[in-house]
Amino acid sequence: MSEKKLHSVLNSTGFKELMDIRNGPALAADEVRITGSDPLYTSPFRIGETAAAALAARGVAANDLWEMRNGYRQTVSVDVKAAAATSLYGGNMTQCRDEHGVYQPIPYSDAMKHMVSLTQPWQANDGRWLLPHTNLAHLEQRILDVIQCESSVASIRDGVGMWHADKLEDAIADAFACAGMVRTPEEWLEHPHGAYLASRPVVEITRIDDSPPEPLPPGAAPLSGVRVLDLTRILAGPTAGLGMAEHGADVLMVTAPHLPQVPSFVRDTSHGKRSCYLDIAKAEEAERLYELVKESDVFIDGYRPHRLAAHGFGADELIARRPGLVHVTVNCFGSGGPFASRAGWDQVAQAVTGICHTQGEALEAGQPKLTPVFMCDFLTGFLATFGAMVALARRAREGGSYRVQVSLCQSAMFLQRQGLIDHFHGAPNKLTPEEFEPLAVVDEGTVYGDLKTLGPVLKMSETPCVWSGTTPALGSSKAVWLPR
C-alpha cells in the first residue's frame, strides 16, 4: 500500500472523529497502520474502511490501557478487507467440520431466510416505503397483528400497501414492535430525531458520578482482570462483549432460558466468553446478579430502552451499588430524541437514516435496498468496545462512574459521513478461500461442533487479540467471576 493511501486512511474523518472522542495524547506516526481499501461488497458505502477505522480506534484505546500497565505502547494494524468481512455474518465465514473431516459453510436456517424475505422495504399507499422487522416470533406476530396480514411476502407487501408509511411506522412502534419508514439522508437530518443525533458524538461517554481512581488489575493483556457483564442478544451488543473478550476481559453473558435467541447469532458472537442463566424476574436470581455487579467493571445493556431499569437494573441503580462502574448502552435510536424509547434493528436503522435510499439509488434498483451485510450492528459493537475502554482509562486516571452510549442509528450516520465510492459494481461480497484461511481460527469441541471461523482481525504487536476457551453453550457456566 502506498504511503499516500496509508496516510489518507489514518487521517480519514472517521478515525479523527474517534480520536477526538478519545481526547488523549497524540499518536506516534507508526503506531497505527490500516491497509487496503473498499469495496468488498456491492455497496457505495465505505463499509470496510469505516469498520477498519473503528477497529483501529479500538486498538488505540486498548493501547492506552496497555501503556498504563507497562509504560510503553505497541503497534496496531487492520486490513480493510478483513474488517469488512467481520460484517459478513455466517455464510462462508463460519464453517463446521463434516463427517469426512472437511470444513463446510453452515447454511442459513430456513427461519433466517424467511425473516430476510419479509424484512425488506415495502411500498405504502402514499408512495413511500416502510421496512417491518420480523426477527423473533413474538415481534413478528405484533407486526402481523398491526398490519392484519399473514407471514408471507405477498401478505406483508399487500398489508403495508394499505397504510401511509408514517402512520404505520408509528402504529408498529405503539405495538412495541419494530419498523422504519425509509427516508433520504437529508430527510433524516431534518427530522427531530436525526437532528438530535447529529448534535451528539457517535460514542457518548459521560461521567455520571464520582468515585476514587481504580488502577488496572495485574495482567498480561489490556483488559486482563477486567470483569464484564454482557446482558445483550443479537449482534451489536454481543459484538461489544466479544471485543472486550479479545483484549483479555472476563466476559460473562447473562440471559435466561425463556428469552428468545437466534442460535447462529449466539454461536458467532460468544467466542471467548462464558454464559450463565439468571432470571431477573426471580428475586433470588436478581440478587445474584446484583452481587456480580458489585464485583464487575463493565455492564453492557442491550435491552429495549428502560426495560432493565424497570427491573431495578438501570444505570443509576447499578452505579449506586457499584461506584466506578462503566455502564454501556447499546440500542437502535440512541440517547435521546423523539424515537429514543423505540426498539429497532440494523435494518430499521438503515431504513430511517437514509442508507436504504442511497443503496437502492446507487444500484439503480428503482426502490430502496438494504446493504448486503449487517454493518450497523458490527460497527456499533466495535464502537461500544472502544467507548468502554476509553471510559476505563478515564476511571483509572481520574476516578468516576461512566455511561457509554452507542446506537445503530448513530453508526449508520457515522458510516454515511465517510462518503461514497463509485467502483463497487462487481464486488465479490465475500472473501475468497485464499483470503479467508489466514484469518480463520479453529474452535474444536464446541456445542455446535468443530468450527472454523473468521478470527479477530485487529492486530496488536504485543498482545494479540485472542478468544480464550471454547465457544460456550448458553447457561453452561456458574454465575461467578473467575479469580483475578
Side-chain angles (χ1 to χ4, degrees), residues 270-291:
S270 298
H271 311 299
K273 304 179 186 179
R274 297 180 299 121
S275 173
C276 71
Y277 282 146
L278 290 174
D279 184 351
I280 60 175
K282 299 177 180 178
E284 182 178 346
E285 295 185 31
E287 188 57 37
R288 181 64 205 139
L289 181 56
Y290 283 132
E291 293 301 313

Side-chain angles (χ1 to χ4, degrees), residues 162-222:
M162 299 294 290
W163 288 74
H164 279 216
D166 58 344
K167 301 298 184 184
L168 182 54
E169 182 182 51
D170 289 342
I172 289 173
D174 291 342
F176 298 101
C178 306
M181 186 177 84
V182 175
R183 295 169 173 85
T184 68
E186 296 77 18
E187 286 175 331
W188 178 244
L189 293 176
E190 292 171 358
H191 187 278
H193 199 90
Y196 168 81
L197 292 181
S199 74
R200 309 296 299 167
V202 65
V203 181
E204 297 185 48
I205 305 173
T206 309
R207 178 170 172 156
I208 59 175
D209 205 356
D210 294 329
S211 65
E214 294 189 35
L216 294 169

Side-chain angles (χ1 to χ4, degrees), residues 120 138 160 169 217 318 448:
Q120 299 291 333
H138 69 292
V160 171
E169 182 182 51
L318 296 178
Y448 310 100

Side-chain angles (χ1 to χ4, degrees), residues 379-456:
L379 184 56
T380 302
F382 300 157
L383 294 174
T385 307
F386 162 75
M389 290 195 290
V390 170
L392 286 170
R394 293 180 187 174
R395 187 186 75 170
R397 292 192 304 266
E398 309 162 13
S401 303
Y402 292 86
R403 178 182 285 121
V404 177
Q405 294 166 293
V406 296
S407 69
L408 301 175
C409 286
Q410 277 281 29
S411 294
M413 295 164 70
F414 180 72
L415 176 66
Q416 291 177 87
R417 287 197 291 273
Q418 311 317 308
L420 304 176
I421 57 177
D422 57 11
H423 56 285
F424 59 89
H425 294 284
N429 287 317
K430 63 181 180 179
L431 298 179
T432 66
E434 293 74 22
E435 292 168 331
F436 171 66
E437 286 298 326
L439 301 170
V441 296
V442 172
D443 189 3
E444 295 181 334
T446 80
V447 67
Y448 310 100
D450 295 341
L451 300 178
K452 179 186 287 187
T453 189
L454 182 72

Side-chain angles (χ1 to χ4, degrees), residues 9 12 14-15 18 34 38 45-56 80 83 375 379 382-383 411 414-419:
V9 172
S12 68
F15 186 75
L18 297 178
I34 302 176
D38 284 306
F45 295 103
R46 298 182 184 274
I47 294 173
E49 292 173 27
T50 307
L55 284 167
V80 167
M375 78 289 181
L379 184 56
F382 300 157
L383 294 174
S411 294
F414 180 72
L415 176 66
Q416 291 177 87
R417 287 197 291 273
Q418 311 317 308

